[in-house]
Amino acid sequence: MKVRFHFRRIGKGNAVPVYHQPLMAANIRAWILDCFQDPYDISFDLYTFSSLKGLNKCESSFLFFHTNQIHVMISTPNEQWLKRLVEYVMQLEKFQVHDMVLSPEAYEYTEVLQLKEETRYVSLSPMVLFDPTVKPGAPVGLLNPYSEQFSDLLYDTLLDRMESYRWGNFKYENYSRFQVVPDSAYIEKLKVNKKKLGRVLDVGEKKV
């Protein structure tokens, strides 16, 4: 299930760091702690969220928004959990990301991507290939997305998380052919435009 939040920017503050996901993650974590009472709901982390979306310009490692309308998407297979979080967020007066103050205005549930035999899509968030608190000795750095190591790490991580939450009627054999491969045409486009192919981002106090 996926929801798009519509926030209104308040005041003059309009800048956030380019890598503002940890700031947004801290807000979402605070919402969860304040919203839920059940330990399972509080510890639930099978969700992803987008960066802040809206008309902006990148300068000196900051995004400067030139619109009062800001959007954020959150996705999770847990429908009840998400609906309760939406109710909580819409009751907030405001919250802050760096020096930008936002106020909830509206939300809409959007269509969930239906995976087929082969599906092309853009991920909402960075791919976390392993939990550094569980595998502290795992290698840190960029991996070739065409490599077997990348594919195996992603496969193992996704299936481990799905199994731990018993997502749907989970059976390992149903996902024996699962694989994620990079879009060659998109990779070539990045190279032509001299864009970075990947980045190492902080996950807590570790880097993945």
Side-chain angles (χ1 to χ4, degrees):
M1 190 174 195
K2 201 160 52 171
V3 65
R4 179 186 288 110
F5 286 105
H6 300 265
F7 299 119
R8 177 170 52 87
R9 184 168 61 84
I10 301 174
K12 296 182 179 180
N14 71 332
V16 298
V18 170
Y19 304 120
H20 58 272
Q21 288 85 352
L23 301 178
M24 196 62 210
N27 273 297
I28 294 175
R29 185 58 188 161
W31 298 344
I32 292 171
L33 292 174
D34 204 31
C35 172
F36 297 104
Q37 303 297 324
D38 186 273
Y40 173 83
D41 291 327
I42 292 175
S43 62
F44 182 77
D45 64 357
L46 195 61
Y47 63 87
T48 59
F49 61 93
S50 70
S51 57
L52 298 177
K53 303 296 184 182
L55 181 63
N56 67 75
K57 185 176 181 180
C58 182
E59 293 182 10
S60 304
S61 299
F62 281 87
L63 297 178
F64 293 89
F65 284 83
H66 302 292
T67 176
N68 290 331
Q69 300 299 317
I70 310 296
H71 311 290
V72 171
M73 296 189 70
I74 298 180
S75 177
T76 176
N78 192 328
E79 182 176 333
Q80 288 186 325
W81 185 90
L82 184 59
K83 286 185 175 180
R84 179 67 190 95
L85 185 65
V86 169
E87 290 177 2
Y88 172 83
V89 172
M90 295 309 298
Q91 294 175 358
L92 294 174
E93 180 182 353
K94 60 184 178 180
F95 67 97
Q96 190 164 343
V97 182
H98 193 61
D99 71 347
M100 189 160 64
V101 179
L102 301 173
S103 177
E105 274 198 333
Y107 68 92
E108 58 181 316
Y109 292 108
T110 62
E111 183 179 351
V112 176
L113 175 69
Q114 298 298 319
L115 296 178
K116 303 176 183 178
E117 184 70 18
E118 182 176 334
T119 303
R120 183 185 181 200
Y121 73 99
V122 177
S123 177
L124 275 174
S125 61
M127 292 182 178
V128 179
L129 299 181
F130 60 86
D131 183 345
T133 62
V134 175
K135 298 180 179 180
V140 175
L142 296 179
L143 296 175
N144 186 334
Y146 291 100
S147 69
E148 290 186 9
Q149 184 182 14
F150 175 89
S151 180
D152 290 345
L153 279 172
L154 185 59
Y155 177 89
D156 291 341
T157 296
L158 287 177
L159 263 67
D160 286 348
R161 282 169 61 80
M162 289 165 65
E163 196 279 335
S164 66
Y165 286 100
R166 292 296 173 181
W167 183 46
N169 297 318
F170 182 86
K171 292 182 180 179
Y172 272 103
E173 55 268 27
N174 293 342
Y175 299 92
S176 59
R177 295 178 58 193
F178 170 84
Q179 187 178 16
V180 173
V181 295
D183 186 318
S184 298
Y186 186 73
I187 295 292
E188 287 304 314
K189 182 179 178 180
L190 291 178
K191 290 180 178 179
V192 169
N193 293 323
K194 297 182 179 180
K195 301 289 187 179
K196 289 185 177 180
L197 298 181
R199 297 178 176 90
V200 176
L201 302 178
D202 287 334
V203 179
E205 296 181 352
K206 301 286 185 178
K207 287 186 176 180
V208 178

